[in-house]
Every structure is written in C-alpha cells, then in structure tokens.
Amino acid sequence: MPSPDTPHAADFRPSPNHGERLRPISSLILHYTGMPTAAAALALLTSAESQVSSHYFVDEDGTILQLVPEARRAWHAGRSFWADEEDMNSASIGIEIVHPGHDDPRPFPDRQIEAVAALGRDICARCAIVPQRVLAHSDIAIGRKVDPGEFFPWKTLAELGVGHYVAPAPIAGSAALEPGASGEPVRELQRALADYGYRSDVSGAYDAASAGAVAAFQRHFRPGLIDGRADSSTIATLRALAAGIGA
Ligand SMILES: [Zn+2]
C-alpha cells in the first residue's frame, strides 16, 4: 500500500487507473463527482472497468482519500486543453469533490471546502502550482464538461489561499459580442481568452467555439450569467483577471 503524498489524506484507497506522467505537474484540476452518493463515486473511481480515476477524493464531511500517487498520471481530465497543453492528465493533479452535480446544485458544505483548500494549499506549495493554474474541469474541456459548476465557491477557496479570483464586474445588461459578430473586438476577446489559457482560435469570427469558451470562462469567473455572450461585465472580468496574474 503506498503511503499518501499529503498529511491531509486520511487513507489511501488505491485505484488501478493510472499511467506514466509525460509532463511535469503544472495544474490542479477540480471536479465534482456528479453521482447520487459518495460510495457510488468512489466505487467508480477505483474500479478497473471504469478507466477513470483522480488523485484525491474529498467527501462531504471533509474526509480526504488518496486514490492515485501524485507521481502517476490519473485519468480525470479526458480530452482537454489549457495554455497549449493537450494532455492535462499528464500535467495535473485531479481532485474529485463529492457533489451530486447540476441535477442537485446544493451548496458544497463548508468543511468539505475547507478540506479542499487545505489539500490544495499543500499540493500547490509542494508542486509549485501558481494560483491561475487551479482550474475547473469545465475550463479545460470546453463544451464537454461543466464541473465543478457555477455554484462552486471559488471566492471562498481563494480566500482560503487556493486559486486566482477577482470579483466579477457587475452585469449591466449592456450590448455584447455574440455569435455572428466579427472584427477586431472579437479578435481581441479571442486573444485574451487564449492568453489566459482557454482553447480559443484567434479568427476574428465569433463562432460556436468562441461562445463555448466564453461560457466556460463565465462558469468559473462570472457565474451570475452563463450565456456565451461577451458583455462588458465578461470582458472587464477577464481583463481584471489577466491584470492580476503575478500580482
Ligand atoms: Zn470532471
């Protein structure tokens, strides 16, 4: 039995689903389990047939289990992209947070988020992961994944020392860039999203992929309205985030 990589893990519950890392660790990816019970999620993440896993599993009461050694590549991200990296499983540590998902978007319990924060602080310190590399699965799998959800408490997590956060700019009901738009403002938006790390082609044409990237951004950073339209609040929040990197 391997011993946990962190003092925060109560136990090691080994999953057979892992392989060799092909990249250095740069990112921490947060997920919700999206299943009715913790037991069902843990069974899935530790069964060979499922072909899925994560490094850590955080129950609603704050209990942390390690499933895969950090040195190994766990299978939580699937097809993914961030900042020109396509194999995010190789480049990340994955945490599955017990929550039923969008079918039941209830608040994450405080003690669970405190546990995620303690674990995240420890991982980010040991692996030199910068705050803007603490990401949602939805950030790196645009159009495919929506977890851990717009109801995930990113602000609280940042206050507890994990992740990059700025208060979202107020939603003003202003005009917006939206599908069908084109030109330099669209190009600027696409470049800003790409510079931050999102998969975003700088084409100058606001297509379905652009709307998907904007929606992914909103789900994490401007959760009050997720509509794939880049209104002034969305653009201001993105600018503020970009300006805050390394600050
Ligand atoms: Zn996920």
Side-chain angles (χ1 to χ4, degrees):
M1 183 74 63
S3 59
D5 289 308
T6 172
H8 299 287
D11 202 0
F12 211 110
R13 210 66 70 79
S15 169
N17 304 325
H18 56 83
E20 189 183 346
R21 273 194 193 282
L22 306 171
R23 303 272 192 285
I25 295 169
S26 63
S27 304
L28 179 62
I29 309 299
L30 304 187
H31 305 259
Y32 64 45
T33 52
M35 296 182 72
T37 69
L42 188 58
L44 186 82
L45 291 163
T46 54
S47 85
E49 301 79 59
S50 75
Q51 299 281 292
V52 295
S53 63
S54 60
H55 295 92
Y56 294 101
F57 178 89
V58 182
D59 210 336
E60 289 174 303
D61 68 357
T63 301
I64 298 171
L65 301 176
Q66 185 163 4
L67 314 182
V68 172
E70 290 181 9
R72 302 285 291 171
R73 179 180 179 276
W75 302 344
H76 54 97
R79 272 187 297 110
S80 53
F81 178 97
W82 189 259
D84 295 329
E85 175 58 70
E86 296 204 307
D87 181 9
M88 290 303 291
N89 275 335
S90 264
S92 70
I93 288 175
I95 301 178
E96 285 281 358
I97 303 165
V98 173
H99 187 280
H102 279 75
D103 291 345
D104 180 7
R106 63 198 189 203
F108 290 80
D110 289 346
R111 54 189 172 172
Q112 184 182 36
I113 293 306
E114 285 158 13
V116 171
L119 176 61
R121 285 193 304 267
D122 178 58
I123 292 168
C124 291
R126 284 187 294 101
C127 302
I129 296 171
V130 294
Q132 66 270 23
R133 287 298 192 116
V134 178
L135 300 168
H137 196 189
S138 52
D139 289 319
I140 65 167
I142 293 171
R144 205 171 63 77
K145 294 291 176 180
V146 293
D147 64 305
E150 58 278 17
F151 42 81
F152 184 78
W154 293 105
K155 178 174 190 277
T156 304
L157 197 69
E159 287 166 354
L160 295 171
V162 177
H164 185 37
Y165 176 86
V166 298
I171 299 170
S174 62
L177 297 172
E178 57 192 359
S182 62
E184 193 50 33
V186 174
R187 197 179 295 275
E188 268 178 41
L189 168 70
Q190 292 170 328
R191 190 173 295 120
L193 287 166
D195 285 349
Y196 197 72
Y198 288 93
R199 185 190 285 277
S200 172
D201 290 338
V202 184
S203 65
Y206 203 116
D207 56 10
S210 302
V214 168
F217 172 80
Q218 291 169 332
R219 196 177 299 284
H220 186 159
F221 295 108
R222 209 289 302 269
L225 178 61
I226 302 161
D227 62 0
R229 298 165 69 250
D231 56 8
S232 61
S233 157
T234 299
I235 291 171
T237 305
L238 176 56
R239 284 206 184 116
L241 265 181
I245 290 177

